[in-house]
Amino acid sequence: MIRAIVFTIIEALLFGVCLFGAAGKFLWPMAWAVLGIYFLLKVVGLAFLDPNLIRERVAPGSGIDRIDVVLASLGCLALYPATFIVAGLDAVRFGPAVPISQPVQIFAFFIYTLGYGFAYWAIHSNPFFSSVVRIQEDRGHSVISSGPYALIRHPGYAGVLVAHLFLPLALDSVWALVPTALGVLIFVARTVREDQTLQEHLVGYREYQGRIRWRLLPYIW
């Protein structure tokens, strides 16, 4: 738990430096709102999630898919530091290049919040929600099909990706959509690899795939 708290504090400092350092000032209300929602959900997770799950997410056990670690790292760099830096430069320091109306920003922030809320619903529903792809035999890994997993197979990814597709609009930066789009593509690739791994190695996952056809978007993919 202490390690998770330290990691969260470091993450908050890093994200703040990326956003406000790129912007060149602290007076950016929407950036504060974005960080506030993100870390509020983090704190709620630390308070209410199973400690065993928190430990798994901070320090996964053996059997990690190394390629997935690389993809996860690249995707996170694109969705977080890169997007924040570009948004700060575009929306505040030099721009915005294409101004986004305040109602659109507020709507985008609302969708961003809902997306992360949906992702945390997935985390709360799945005691095996690791930060990397691995079959958690040491934790009695089994298929989860309740909650959002009754709708799509990767609700955690879905919530985060929807949130980040709207994040640049909330931050008044169309240029930030470039690193965001790259990060989304990388995470979509992760879902394909994760599906293959679970299908091959997790008992009952093939049957679950047969019942729940959609990876990320119901009736689409």
Side-chain angles (χ1 to χ4, degrees), residues 7-8 11 37-47 57 120:
F7 180 81
T8 300
E11 191 178 41
I37 286 296
Y38 181 84
F39 286 104
L40 174 63
L41 290 171
K42 280 269 189 174
V43 170
V44 170
L46 290 175
R57 290 188 56 74
Y120 269 84

Side-chain angles (χ1 to χ4, degrees), residues 84-136:
F84 290 159
I85 290 170
V86 173
L89 293 173
D90 177 35
V92 181
R93 190 181 288 268
F94 300 122
V98 180
I100 298 170
S101 68
Q102 189 174 55
V104 172
Q105 291 182 48
I106 293 172
F107 175 76
F109 175 73
F110 177 70
I111 300 300
Y112 167 83
T113 303
L114 286 181
Y116 262 104
F118 187 77
Y120 269 84
W121 182 25
I123 296 173
H124 179 75
S125 301
N126 185 357
F128 309 107
F129 198 105
S130 183
S131 54
V132 294
V133 176
R134 80 180 189 95
I135 304 301
Q136 302 167 48

Side-chain angles (χ1 to χ4, degrees), residues 8-220:
T8 300
I9 293 172
I10 293 173
E11 191 178 41
L13 293 174
L14 172 63
F15 290 177
V17 167
C18 290
L19 274 168
F20 300 111
K25 65 179 184 179
F26 288 103
L27 187 58
W28 188 5
M30 187 58 80
W32 284 108
V34 163
L35 290 181
I37 286 296
Y38 181 84
F39 286 104
L40 174 63
L41 290 171
K42 280 269 189 174
V43 170
V44 170
L46 290 175
F48 293 103
L49 289 177
D50 181 351
N52 291 324
L53 175 58
I54 294 174
R55 281 192 290 270
E56 168 64 28
R57 290 188 56 74
V58 174
S62 60
I64 295 173
D65 181 342
R66 300 298 176 183
I67 295 177
D68 179 69
V69 173
V70 173
L71 289 174
S73 300
L74 293 174
C76 285
L77 286 173
L79 289 182
Y80 295 95
T83 293
F84 290 159
I85 290 170
V86 173
L89 293 173
D90 177 35
V92 181
R93 190 181 288 268
F94 300 122
V98 180
I100 298 170
S101 68
Q102 189 174 55
V104 172
Q105 291 182 48
I106 293 172
F107 175 76
F109 175 73
F110 177 70
I111 300 300
Y112 167 83
T113 303
L114 286 181
Y116 262 104
F118 187 77
Y120 269 84
W121 182 25
I123 296 173
H124 179 75
S125 301
N126 185 357
F128 309 107
F129 198 105
S130 183
S131 54
V132 294
V133 176
R134 80 180 189 95
I135 304 301
Q136 302 167 48
E137 295 178 352
D138 52 315
R139 302 184 62 234
H141 199 168
S142 61
V143 175
I144 302 300
S145 58
S146 59
Y149 290 90
L151 305 172
I152 51 178
R153 298 201 300 269
H154 299 283
Y157 290 133
V160 168
L161 296 185
V162 167
H164 279 268
L165 284 171
F166 280 86
L167 176 60
L169 302 180
L171 293 174
D172 195 17
S173 173
V174 294
W175 277 110
L177 286 167
V178 175
T180 293
L182 176 60
V184 167
L185 290 174
I186 292 171
F187 272 90
V188 168
R190 284 190 75 197
T191 67
V192 175
R193 285 186 56 83
E194 184 167 338
D195 254 358
Q196 292 173 342
T197 299
L198 295 174
Q199 181 179 344
E200 293 171 3
H201 301 289
L202 183 61
V203 175
Y205 195 78
R206 288 179 185 270
E207 292 75 12
Y208 172 65
Q209 279 183 314
R211 297 194 309 273
I212 308 299
R213 296 178 54 193
W214 314 108
R215 284 192 180 100
L216 293 172
L217 295 174
Y219 306 105
I220 297 176

